Amino acid sequence: MDLGIKEKKVLVTAASKGIGKACAKAYAEEGARVFIASRNQTKLEETVHDLREQTGNPHVMSVVCDLTKAADIQNMIEEIGRIDILINNVGGPPAGNFADFADQDWLKAFEQLLMSVVRTVRAVAPGMKQQQFGRIVNITSSSMKEALDGLLLSNTFRPAIVGLSKSLSQELASDQILINSIGPGKIETDRIREIYQDKASIEKVGKTIPIGRIGQPAEFAKAVLFLGSAANTYITGQTLVVDGGAMKTL
Ligand code: NAD
């Protein structure tokens, strides 16, 4: 299938490692012009080097951006210019129950998870409208559909992204801008390795998933790549969970 993304300008945020990096790699393999963003310049440069080497695509570039800061997001988009495809990713919030969080924790999660999406979309939408083409994919969590134990901040703000995206899909469809949200179940990144610590524990958790194992970032990236491509011409305002069958909700 021709994904129609050769030479398209793609921004993947929070992409110095993990799922974001895997998405950036998938686009670079397809010949897109890929911009990756995160907070640390040195780490970003290492990732750019890796991705160029692994994909043979020299058009992988980086922009430093702390997605909790409005000014950083504005500067990032000004630096990149017109964007065809936006993959919204950001680091996850801390785990905890209701009693664990004070106002400042709620406000931080609000800025990080929800306002980062509001601000990136606000910055890219005018250019996408002008060119009558845009694809936006929000990377969230399976908590957008089913609450996860001990992840109250995620359970609150991930569904908010789904509501926002549904409204945006209605507003932006006539300008050929399609927006969808994809949630990882358990995907083997540093975040998961920190939680489960060793290979044996990761395998044990994998056995609880119908498909029999934890997913790999590249498997997740394939779904992002399709929804965030020109080959996706009619899917918008939807949510997709990539979880090996773990979630039972419809
Ligand atoms: P990760 O910790 O491996 O990578 C997170 C990336 O986000 C890094 O590149 C980091 O530098 C960047 N980042 C964090 N805060 C940032 C900020 N304020 N500004 C800019 N960049 C920032 O995480 P991951 O496992 O790849 O997960 C990606 C997203 O998917 C997270 O939101 C996570 O909560 C969510 N998620 C992951 C899983 C999973 O199984 N891996 C499951 C559910 C949800």
Side-chain angles (χ1 to χ4, degrees):
M1 187 194 306
D2 179 11
L3 293 171
I5 53 178
K6 269 200 176 53
E7 309 284 319
K8 286 255 188 291
K9 261 168 101 176
V10 183
L11 167 62
V12 187
T13 63
S16 63
K17 60 177 185 163
I19 287 172
K21 182 178 177 184
C23 293
K25 185 175 177 208
Y27 281 100
E29 281 169 345
E30 292 295 324
R33 301 171 68 80
V34 182
F35 291 81
I36 60 168
S38 74
R39 292 162 298 183
N40 182 301
Q41 172 120 36
T42 312
K43 182 75 190 110
L44 273 174
E45 281 166 10
E46 280 168 27
T47 305
V48 165
H49 176 79
D50 277 1
L51 292 176
R52 286 182 181 171
E53 206 165 72
Q54 288 167 13
T55 65
N57 182 343
H59 303 295
V60 180
M61 284 118 334
S62 66
V63 194
V64 174
C65 176
D66 181 340
L67 292 152
T68 60
K69 298 191 173 135
D72 272 26
I73 292 177
Q74 194 56 41
N75 292 339
M76 167 176 70
I77 306 297
E78 275 168 20
E79 196 176 325
I80 299 172
R82 182 188 57 78
I83 288 167
D84 299 300
I85 299 165
L86 167 67
I87 310 303
N88 267 323
N89 184 38
V90 72
N97 291 314
F98 189 68
D100 299 322
F101 299 121
D103 280 6
Q104 73 220 37
D105 304 306
W106 285 98
L107 292 170
K108 191 170 171 216
F110 169 70
E111 291 272 349
Q112 183 167 330
L113 297 180
L114 188 59
M115 287 311 292
S116 62
V117 175
V118 170
R119 289 168 177 149
T120 50
V121 173
R122 186 191 283 140
V124 302
M128 289 180 171
K129 281 185 184 173
Q130 214 171 20
Q131 67 195 12
Q132 291 287 292
F133 177 89
R135 299 288 180 270
I136 301 170
V137 180
N138 303 313
I139 295 172
T140 62
S141 161
S142 62
S143 66
M144 69 181 171
K145 279 177 166 276
E146 187 176 87
L148 296 166
D149 290 343
L151 281 171
L152 211 73
L153 296 174
S154 180
N155 294 341
T156 302
F157 291 109
R158 304 295 198 181
I161 295 171
V162 176
L164 168 68
S165 300
K166 182 56 94 174
S167 292
L168 283 170
S169 71
Q170 306 299 294
E171 283 192 28
L172 300 176
S174 62
D175 291 304
Q176 308 310 314
I177 303 168
L178 312 186
I179 176 164
N180 294 286
S181 303
I182 310 192
K186 286 191 173 62
I187 303 293
E188 193 177 344
T189 63
D190 285 353
R191 189 169 161 89
I192 287 287
R193 286 188 281 269
E194 271 160 31
I195 298 170
Y196 298 107
Q197 307 215 327
D198 57 53
K199 201 100 196 116
S201 312
I202 290 178
E203 274 173 20
K204 195 169 162 203
V205 175
K207 297 284 176 239
T208 66
I209 298 169
I211 220 160
R213 59 178 175 80
I214 283 182
Q216 291 303 310
E219 295 178 292
F220 184 85
K222 283 191 267 188
V224 173
L225 184 66
F226 173 72
L227 285 179
S229 78
N232 171 23
T233 49
Y234 212 58
I235 304 172
T236 191
Q238 301 304 309
T239 56
L240 174 71
V241 172
V242 178
D243 70 346
M247 230 174 54
K248 292 185 185 66
T249 193
L250 296 177

